[in-house]
Amino acid sequence: MFDTLDQVIARIGEGQRFLVIGHIRPDGDDISSVASLVMILRKAGKVAEGCIADGDSPFLERLDRTQVIKGVDALRDYAYDTAITVDASELARIGTAAELLEGRAPDITLDHHKSNLGYGKINFCDPAHAATAMIVYEIGEQLIEFDKELAEMLLLGIATDTGFFRYASADERVFAYAARLVRDGADIGRITEAVLEHRTLNEIRLVTAMLGTLQLSADGRLATAYVTAEMIEHAGCTDDDTSGLIGEIRSIAGVEVAVMFIESPKGTVHISLRSKNTVDVSEIALQFNGGGHARAAGCSCAEVKLEDLMKAVTAAAEGAIDAAFPC
Ligand code: AMP
Ligand code: MN
Ligand code: MN
């Protein structure tokens, strides 16, 4: 089902006009992978545009790279011969950007999710890569010379998907690539500030409200919490401000699995799952039509009652914890 990076490079060689598409609820790796691949393709003499269907990509603005990623409407008349999705395990993950494909499968998919469905014509997916940006790095390395801007954009994805080099996924290759990118001019301080030090007072208010819903169960190994659409609105926040919430409860001592329920808009719930060492949370997400990695997974459910969903997911998480820690 999966192809080699050489096949990907050969197919890129055949294309002239590229559309690079990332996933909805974009994270740093997604933004990095789309922006870096567009920069690489342009440097290689191709025409390339990047698209993410929702989210304003705030890091991009802070890293002075706003011109590389556009919304769906800005690209409706853009003619391309090669569509590439990045960091998206299935077509549904690209949201309304799928409209730009007009029913065709993407020509290339590049990903590192265990749950990847191989939905493109050529598919490269390797969960041993800590970030999709590392796959983009390997493609770039074969096509062009890295400059400071590209190096920094690539490092954004590697830094964010490894929790700023804190997770077990931060292996030797992660540090080797990061070292090379720093040598090429990437400034990790700028990335850290752009991603971690831009919290607003409203986001802190939302964290405070969320902490009021925190519950521990399964002998303290499971932490769950939620924010409702009303709580988000009351704090003056949007959906974009909710991605950091899960980290707050994952960090509790003794917690192995953290689950955050984010209702936004009303009737639609996004569930973020994280684990520390043992439980594969992608297995839990799969039960609710989501997916992801062993340590970070998610799913989104429409037309559900938050309470009912919380009961079902909490029970599934408790079951997974019981299986992982038999007493
Ligand atoms: P999040 O909790 O939204 O930060 O997502 C964590 C990880 O779970 C992401 O990197 C994705 O790999 C995966 N993920 C999130 N939402 C979904 C979904 N609806 N379907 C499949 N995978 C998802
Ligand atoms: Mn991602
Ligand atoms: Mn990723």
Side-chain angles (χ1 to χ4, degrees):
M1 178 167 97
F2 291 106
D3 304 288
T4 64
L5 212 53
D6 285 343
Q7 285 169 289
V8 170
I9 306 260
R11 178 62 186 82
I12 287 176
E14 290 165 14
Q16 282 309 319
R17 298 178 62 87
F18 290 78
L19 177 63
V20 182
I21 304 174
H23 65 72
I24 50 174
R25 285 181 65 83
D27 49 25
D29 186 32
D30 188 48
I31 290 164
S32 161
S33 299
V34 175
S36 303
L37 189 52
V38 168
M39 290 160 78
I40 289 165
L41 291 166
R42 286 182 183 172
K43 233 178 162 205
K46 314 275 188 185
V47 178
E49 296 287 355
C51 180
I52 293 178
D54 70 356
D56 291 339
S57 313
F59 319 142
L60 270 192
E61 220 167 279
R62 293 175 209 142
L63 292 170
D64 308 324
R65 284 268 140 220
T66 39
Q67 71 278 33
V68 267
I69 301 181
K70 296 179 176 161
V72 177
D73 284 340
L75 291 165
R76 289 204 193 274
D77 296 328
Y78 173 66
Y80 62 88
D81 54 45
T82 308
I84 306 179
T85 66
V86 294
D87 202 42
S89 54
E90 56 183 301
L91 200 59
R93 292 285 288 150
I94 68 172
T96 55
E99 290 166 18
L100 302 176
L101 297 174
E102 295 175 334
R104 294 183 297 265
D107 299 285
I108 301 171
T109 70
L110 304 173
D111 190 23
H112 68 138
H113 290 97
K114 205 179 131 204
S115 56
N116 185 288
L117 297 179
Y119 56 95
K121 292 175 194 158
I122 294 176
N123 302 290
F124 183 84
C125 179
D126 179 15
H129 282 74
T132 298
M134 294 172 72
I135 301 168
V136 176
Y137 171 115
E138 289 167 10
I139 293 170
E141 207 177 25
Q142 297 200 38
L143 297 178
I144 45 108
E145 295 285 315
F146 292 174
D147 57 26
K148 178 182 181 321
E149 284 71 31
L150 174 59
E152 198 155 292
M153 192 49 75
L154 285 167
L155 189 57
L156 168 70
I158 301 176
T160 50
D161 255 22
T162 58
F164 284 82
F165 309 101
R166 285 175 302 144
Y167 303 149
S169 61
D171 57 14
E172 191 183 336
R173 180 165 49 174
V174 162
F175 286 101
Y177 286 14
R180 149 92 195 267
L181 295 171
V182 169
R183 196 177 68 218
D184 288 340
D187 180 347
I188 187 70
R190 246 165 70 87
I191 296 172
T192 310
E193 203 200 322
V195 177
L196 299 180
E197 290 167 10
H198 271 267
R199 300 174 89 187
T200 61
L201 186 57
N202 286 348
E203 279 176 67
I204 305 287
R205 288 199 175 103
L206 186 61
V207 170
T208 311
M210 175 279 288
L211 288 173
T213 73
L214 174 63
Q215 294 209 317
L216 292 187
S217 59
D219 292 329
R221 290 195 173 104
L222 176 63
T224 58
Y226 64 87
V227 288
T228 61
E230 279 92 30
M231 286 161 72
I232 295 171
E233 201 189 329
H234 190 248
C237 289
T238 67
D239 197 30
D240 290 342
D241 302 318
T242 59
S243 59
L245 294 175
I246 184 78
E248 300 287 338
I249 65 168
R250 195 192 104 118
S251 65
I252 299 167
V255 164
E256 165 62 18
V257 176
V259 187
M260 180 67 55
F261 299 88
I262 298 162
E263 186 198 37
S264 171
K266 204 164 176 39
T268 303
V269 180
H270 180 76
I271 303 165
S272 283
L273 300 120
R274 300 289 184 271
S275 67
K276 281 191 189 141
N277 299 303
T278 314
V279 174
D280 183 345
V281 286
S282 74
E283 303 282 341
I284 304 171
L286 274 175
Q287 293 175 39
F288 298 89
N289 297 319
H293 312 279
R295 303 282 161 263
C299 49
S300 298
C301 304
E303 291 167 31
V304 284
K305 252 181 93 183
L306 180 61
E307 262 189 343
D308 297 342
L309 192 60
M310 280 183 4
K311 270 195 198 135
V313 178
T314 302
E318 285 171 352
I321 291 171
D322 282 349
F325 299 93
C327 36

